[in-house]
């Protein structure tokens, strides 16, 4: 075994000392109870307990290369085994020897690595010989054991619970064990402080707004001060001229009241300002204290990821031997501290992935050699810190990879994808179908695989933790899984948005951008709305449509700008339109109860500073839903449109069949339609007659749809006229060219649907 680095060895030894101290405490208590036991039944149970503790301590000592402790524990095992077989009498001298052995072990562990350790080792070796001699036959065994006890230091030095270390008079342990249930309870209480912190911030903001209103009132009051003084002087002159006038005293009383009101206003302003300052100071204090407390408790519940990795080498070995394969398992990283809840949740998913790698991925030695690979396959698991509070797990193998055709066939058989969807799907998208329940590429059903559930469980568990999983595969070269997970589940930051009167929180970890765009930037491509982003087109989806909300909208004209939040996962990006982007803030997330567990789009409930509970959306589910579902807005025009004169549309199409079909569809929808056989004729008509919209093919004689659109945009009189291109050209370059020349929408004939066309037209005019 390779020697660990000194820093790791130090941490390992500290961990061992905590574990060993617990074993010694249980053994010491067990020996006392064993000596006092009067019947055989409890004695056997106690012997079994101390025997197991000695065995566990022996294994732990071997792991940290404490050979003397291992030898003494082996001697203790022999004694307990003999006592269980009733081959040895439990005499007081034997118990004294056993207690002394525990004291010696305690001292050896206390001074391990110290200069005094050599003396302690000699004492331990002497005790081990005495125990072995006690196991031997002959009358001299007890005498030899007694000699060892007399020769040993005073028993007081080894009294349980009393330390011989200088300055440590009580001998209390430096480390105590606390159940994770208690720590989890403390963590939940510390997380609740975040709600108080957010509420205090909300109160401070409310007080700030009141102070601003009060200050504005004071300024307004000051602006009338000169007018009031003029009124005062006029009132004084009247009183001097008419002393008997009873009404002359009214202005003076009014002015006295207003002066008193000024004094009261200044007092309230001063008091409110002081209260606001104290409240903000209390908020900062509570914020620091709660953040530190939450961080400390969270840290106490974090473990190195290597704890989860310990059983995997043995798992790979056993699976490989069972499948008659040769597999080398390599681990990188593992020192990252991760929330214990994340580790517990990821144990089964990683086991599923490793089983798949051995059973599906790695070929037999003969098959690997025939394909030019080494007979032994390799599985690599690497753990590394990612951006911010995320970490990444990368699991890869050099096996056969994922066969996209087999995945497609399995998905078609289950009805997950239609033949039309299958034809439009690339291999990368097809491979992601292995995360769908029931999809499997295994030709047979085995105890390990073939049911199509393993990877579906992995995907569900990862998404449930707020993470994401993606894969990359090459035929014959292997597959790599990337899993991105949060380091802790305590608190995350989110973006608060509004749809109608409802509030939602989007996880900040998935938000790539929040922006306000002009409605003119929204274009329709492939029957879907898109916006330009970083030189590429990103699908635009109404958040209310993704959530299937039935919101009441006013019939007024839509605003000139749209608020969008761009979510991203792996290579997928979708912009979601909302009514308003409110703010970014820390959110305390509460899990949904069992009754709401099937709401895939809702990850939990967040508590705002106002006390309001808002849904926290599952960004990964939103992205997947947006990719699967086309917008389903009603294609029918508003009812009030019936009162307007029919809109006029020009159709440019060289195919008489397509031209007739488009004309019939549009006229049935209530539009006035005129047709042209190519772009040249259409442009001539546009210069002589008014139209509300143009529907044009692209590939036409004399003037193509691209050229027609470009000429319309270059004409100052026609430049704002909407142009919808309906074409069989569906390549990415053709779509981008349509957008570049200024098309308002780009609809591909292969996915043509008249409701989509009407929806686009109603949106544009």
């Amino acid at each position: 075994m390779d020697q660990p680095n000194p820093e790791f060895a130090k941490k390992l030894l500290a961990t061992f000392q905590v574990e060993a101290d617990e074993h010694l405490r249980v053994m010491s208590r067990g020996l006392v109870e064993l000596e006092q036991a009067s019947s055989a039944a409890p004695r056997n149970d106690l012997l079994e307990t101390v025997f197991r503790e000695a065995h566990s301590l022996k294994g732990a000592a071997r792991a940290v290369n404490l050979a003397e402790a291992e030898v003494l524990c082996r001697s203790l095992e022999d004694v307990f085994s003999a006592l269980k077989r009733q081959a040895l009498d439990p005499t007081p001298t034997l118990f004294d020897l056993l207690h002394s052995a525990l004291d010696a072990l305690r001292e050896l562990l206390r001074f391990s690595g110290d200069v005094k350790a050599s003396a302690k080792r000699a004492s331990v070796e002497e005790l081990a010989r005495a125990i072995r001699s006690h196991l031997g036959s002959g009358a001299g065994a007890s005498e030899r054991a007694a000699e060892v006890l007399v020769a040993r230091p005073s028993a007081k030095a080894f009294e349980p619970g009393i330390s011989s270390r200088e300055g440590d008079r009580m001998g209390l342990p430096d480390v105590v064990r606390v159940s994770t249930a208690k720590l989890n309870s403390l963590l939940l209480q510390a997380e609740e402080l975040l709600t108080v912190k957010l509420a205090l911030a909300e109160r401070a903001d409310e007080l700030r707004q009141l102070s601003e209103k009060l200050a504005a009132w004071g300024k307004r009051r000051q602006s009338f001060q000169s007018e009031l003084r003029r009124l005062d002087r006029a009132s004084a002159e009247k009183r001097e001229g008419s002393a008997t006038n009873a009404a002359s005293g009214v202005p003076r009383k009014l002015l006295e009241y207003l002066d008193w009101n000024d004094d009261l206003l200044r007092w309230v302003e001063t008091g409110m300002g002081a209260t606001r300052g104290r409240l903000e100071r209390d908020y900062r204090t509570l914020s620091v204290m709660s953040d530190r407390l939450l961080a400390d408790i969270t840290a106490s519940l974090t473990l190195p990821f290597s704890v989860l990795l310990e059983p995997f080498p043995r798992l790979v070995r056993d699976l490989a031997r069972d499948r008659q394969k040769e597999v080398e398992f390599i681990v990188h990283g593992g020192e990252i501290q991760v929330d214990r809840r994340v580790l517990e949740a990821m144990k089964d998913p990683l086991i599923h992935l490793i089983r798949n790698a051995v059973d599906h991925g790695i070929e037999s030695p003969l098959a690997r050699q025939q394909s030019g690979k080494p007979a032994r396959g390799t599985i690599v698991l690497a753990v590394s810190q990612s951006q911010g509070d995320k970490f990444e797990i990368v699991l890869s193998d050099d096996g056969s990879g994922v066969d996209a055709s087999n995945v497609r066939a399995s998905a078609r058989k289950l009805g997950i994808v239609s033949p039309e969807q299958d034809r439009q799907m690339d291999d990368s998208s097809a491979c992601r179908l292995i995360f769908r329940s029931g999809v499997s590429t295994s030709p047979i059903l085995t105890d390990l695989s073939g049911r199509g559930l393993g990877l579906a469980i992995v995907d569900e568990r990862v998404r449930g933790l707020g993470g994401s999983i993606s894969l990359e595969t090459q035929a014959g070269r292997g597959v790599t899984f990337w899993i991105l997970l949060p380091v802790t589940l305590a608190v995350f930051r989110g973006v608060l948005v509004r749809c109608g009167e409802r509030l939602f929180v989007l996880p900040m970890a998935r938000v790539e951008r929040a922006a306000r765009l002009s409605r003119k930037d929204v274009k329709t491509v492939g029957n879907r709305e898109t916006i330009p982003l970083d030189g590429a087109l990103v699908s635009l989806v109404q958040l209310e449509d993704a959530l299937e909300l039935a919101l009441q909208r006013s019939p007024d004209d839509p605003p000139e700008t749209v608020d969008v939040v761009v979510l991203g996962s792996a290579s997928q990006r979708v912009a979601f339109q909302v009514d308003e982007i409110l703010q970014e803030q820390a959110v305390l997330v509460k899990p949904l109860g069992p009754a709401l567990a099937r709401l895939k789009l809702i990850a939990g409930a967040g508590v705002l500073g106002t006390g309001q509970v808002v849904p926290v959306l599952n960004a990964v589910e939103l992205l997947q839903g947006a990719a699967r579902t086309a917008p389903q807005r009603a294609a029918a025009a508003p009812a009030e449109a019936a009162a307007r004169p029919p809109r006029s549309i020009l159709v440019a199409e060289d195919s008489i069949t397509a031209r007739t079909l488009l004309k019939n569809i549009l006229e049935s929808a209530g539009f006035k339609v005129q047709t042209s056989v190519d772009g040249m004729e259409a442009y001539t008509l546009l210069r002589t007659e008014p139209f509300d919209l143009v529907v044009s093919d692209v590939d036409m004689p004399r003037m193509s749809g691209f050229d027609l659109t470009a000429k319309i945009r270059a004409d100052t009189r026609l430049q704002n006229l909407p142009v919808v291109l309906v074409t069989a050209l569906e390549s990415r370059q053709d779509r981008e060219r349509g957008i570049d020349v200024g098309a308002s929408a780009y609809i591909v004939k292969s996915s043509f649907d008249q409701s989509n066309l009407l929806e686009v037209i109603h949106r544009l005019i």
Side-chain angles (χ1 to χ4, degrees), residues 91-275:
T91 63
T93 303
L94 175 62
F95 280 110
D96 290 342
L97 186 61
L98 294 176
H99 281 297
S100 296
L102 298 187
D103 293 337
L105 278 172
R106 190 176 289 109
E107 290 298 303
L108 177 63
L109 299 178
R110 189 183 305 280
F111 292 103
S112 58
D114 192 271
V115 292
K116 301 179 183 178
S118 58
K120 301 300 175 185
R121 293 191 185 101
S123 175
V124 167
E125 292 170 359
E126 187 179 1
L127 268 171
R129 287 194 298 270
I131 292 173
R132 286 193 297 271
S133 66
H134 202 91
L135 288 170
S137 59
S142 297
E143 287 79 0
R144 287 193 295 271
E147 291 174 1
V148 171
L149 291 175
V150 171
R152 284 180 53 76
S154 166
K156 189 173 183 179
F158 302 104
E159 257 183 59
I162 298 181
S163 172
S164 60
R165 196 184 324 177
E166 295 181 8
D168 190 3
R169 307 178 79 179
M170 294 301 297
L172 295 177
D174 295 330
V175 180
V176 295
R177 286 191 175 188
V178 181
S179 68
T180 55
K182 291 182 178 179
L183 285 177
N184 286 332
S185 176
L186 288 175
L187 177 62
L188 292 176
Q189 295 179 56
E191 289 176 348
E192 291 296 341
L193 285 177
L194 178 63
T195 304
V196 179
K197 170 184 157 184
L198 294 175
L200 200 58
E202 190 74 21
R203 301 295 87 76
D205 187 63
E206 291 172 356
L207 192 58
R208 177 188 59 79
Q209 294 179 20
L210 285 175
S211 297
E212 292 175 353
K213 291 287 186 183
L214 197 60
W217 179 24
K219 290 180 180 179
R220 182 72 172 172
R221 177 74 174 79
Q222 285 293 110
S223 66
F224 288 96
Q225 214 46 28
S226 60
E227 186 67 22
L228 290 173
R229 295 307 168 196
R230 188 190 63 78
L231 180 62
D232 186 23
R233 288 193 298 270
S235 177
E237 293 173 357
K238 284 184 178 182
R239 285 196 300 271
E240 292 175 358
S242 179
T244 59
N245 189 354
S248 62
V250 175
R252 167 55 60 183
K253 291 181 180 179
L254 177 60
L255 289 171
E256 288 175 355
Y257 168 75
L258 293 176
D259 288 339
W260 173 84
N261 193 61
D262 284 344
D263 294 338
L264 180 61
L265 180 60
R266 283 190 293 270
W267 181 84
V268 172
E269 282 183 327
T270 303
M272 188 172 290
T275 302

